[in-house]
Amino acid sequence: MGGHLVTINSAEEQTAIMGALGNSALYWIGLNDAAVEGTWAWASGEAVTYTNWAPGEPNNSGVGGEDYVNLNAYPNGAWNDLWDMGIAGIVEVKQEVPEPSSLALVGLALAGLAAARRRKI
């Protein structure tokens, strides 16, 4: 589908996600340090400009390390680093919106087809 785990760039975006999903389950987000320990990166490739770590996190305290980030392990959706385990993730998928010029061309093509049909009748 061309998506990736969600990138959260602001407190407002975090609030919107929490409003939609609540805080009763853990969810993966797209932040991880799997490539280089301690260097956090978004799955989307966007720059890390916002974080919402819980106090004492990230702590890499799990067996074999904790490379992936989830929210809702702490109050108010604060983030926690965790090892890879079976929890749900929040995925964002980019939806392509046609450019206005493309829509105009489609409209002209449909108008041309309609005119051609009328001439045949």
Side-chain angles (χ1 to χ4, degrees), residues 52-106:
N52 187 31
W53 294 111
E57 298 293 344
N59 60 17
N60 199 39
S61 68
V63 176
E66 296 181 329
D67 294 327
Y68 307 96
V69 178
N70 68 74
L71 56 84
N72 285 345
Y74 293 91
N76 301 318
W79 303 355
N80 173 47
D81 61 331
L82 195 62
W83 61 93
D84 187 7
M85 60 183 288
I87 62 175
I90 305 167
V91 176
E92 60 186 349
V93 178
K94 182 178 179 182
Q95 294 183 349
E96 295 295 328
V97 176
E99 294 181 27
S101 59
S102 298
L103 290 175
L105 288 174
V106 170

Side-chain angles (χ1 to χ4, degrees), residues 30-51:
L31 192 62
N32 70 81
D33 71 344
V36 178
E37 184 60 41
T39 301
W40 296 96
W42 288 112
S44 66
E46 293 178 51
V48 178
T49 58
Y50 168 79
T51 59

